[in-house]
Amino acid sequence: MTQPTITTSPETEPQLQPQSSKRRLPQWRFWLPLLLQGLLILAVPARDAHTVMTGTPVVLQTAPVDPYDFLRGYYQTLSYEISRREVLEQLPGGDEVFHSPNGYSQQSFDFYVILEEPSEVANPGEPPRPWTPVAVSSEPPENLPATQIALQGQARNWQILYGLERYYMPEDQRNDINNHIRQIQVDEPEAFVVQIKVSNGAHAVPISLWVGDENYEF
């Protein structure tokens, strides 16, 4: 007995459909976040470099520090006359900045101290003369005379910070500089000063440390 033959038409044959590939995201969505992160990382060094190149040289008088707490690892802790809240409070504008309701309600806030260039130049072989704080403001001061400049600081609880509180140095010089500072603080405390550069935006970068007639670059 002959078996019937079953045929299938081409229309009934199953067709394999190509799998749809996942849609690729534009490459800029991958590179843009990385670029933004890189710009943020480079922003601070670029700002410091611009301040070093274009900023105004200013000298700050240091304040005595505990010689046994001065040296910490690879850096030394610095303090300044304008790091003392009681000094700033006595300046014009100090009471308004540090004793206003806003000053008490905020754990940290920015302020500006106005520094004035010394009228006398140091003699050869002497450290440069420090600038004198003459006023304090809660807002960036405008139209300052050529002999004055504003430096931005931050009041953080009871600390006064300028981003200038650390001085890094090679390991082989740390003990010698520390011993030199101890001696200067006893004999000539005014001969221990720090030279910085301040931008038009009140941002500051440390440049060098003067200990007596010795100058150490940052």
Side-chain angles (χ1 to χ4, degrees), residues 21 47-48 51 70 89 104 118 156 184:
S21 59
R47 185 186 184 191
D48 288 350
T51 300
F70 188 70
E89 289 176 346
Y104 279 119
R156 187 180 303 170
I184 287 293

Side-chain angles (χ1 to χ4, degrees), residues 34-53:
L34 294 180
L35 178 61
L36 293 176
Q37 292 179 11
L39 291 176
L40 289 175
I41 293 173
L42 295 174
V44 173
R47 185 186 184 191
D48 288 350
H50 182 265
T51 300
V52 171
M53 291 186 295

Side-chain angles (χ1 to χ4, degrees), residues 13-178:
E13 291 183 356
Q15 300 293 323
L16 295 178
Q17 299 294 330
Q19 295 182 351
S20 59
S21 59
K22 294 183 179 179
R23 186 178 180 183
R24 294 183 178 180
L25 293 174
Q27 291 188 356
W28 65 266
R29 291 193 178 183
F30 173 77
W31 292 109
L32 183 59
L34 294 180
L35 178 61
L36 293 176
Q37 292 179 11
L39 291 176
L40 289 175
I41 293 173
L42 295 174
V44 173
R47 185 186 184 191
D48 288 350
H50 182 265
T51 300
V52 171
M53 291 186 295
T54 64
T56 300
V58 173
V59 178
L60 298 181
Q61 179 63 61
T62 62
V65 293
D66 184 350
Y68 298 100
D69 191 48
F70 188 70
L71 186 61
R72 290 180 177 271
Y74 290 95
Y75 70 88
Q76 295 181 330
T77 303
L78 299 174
S79 182
Y80 303 92
E81 288 284 336
I82 56 174
S83 301
R84 296 177 172 181
R85 184 164 178 154
E86 60 270 22
V87 171
L88 299 177
E89 289 176 346
Q90 301 301 317
L91 297 175
D95 187 67
E96 178 183 351
V97 170
F98 294 101
H99 293 280
S100 66
N102 290 336
Y104 279 119
S105 62
Q106 299 179 19
Q107 291 186 345
S108 65
F109 57 90
D110 293 339
F111 68 93
Y112 299 85
V113 56
I114 294 90
L115 302 167
E116 186 169 78
E117 185 179 10
S119 57
E120 298 181 1
V121 180
N123 297 321
E126 294 181 348
R129 299 188 186 278
W131 289 45
T132 304
V134 294
V136 180
S137 173
S138 58
E139 300 294 335
E142 299 179 355
N143 301 321
L144 292 175
T147 57
Q148 295 183 357
I149 198 166
L151 173 63
Q152 184 176 14
Q154 183 180 67
R156 187 180 303 170
N157 295 325
W158 285 95
Q159 285 186 306
I160 303 295
L161 303 174
Y162 299 94
L164 306 168
E165 288 75 29
R166 290 185 178 184
Y167 171 48
Y168 293 88
M169 64 184 62
E171 185 176 2
D172 58 348
Q173 295 183 6
R174 287 184 296 157
N175 291 331
D176 291 341
I177 296 177
N178 196 37

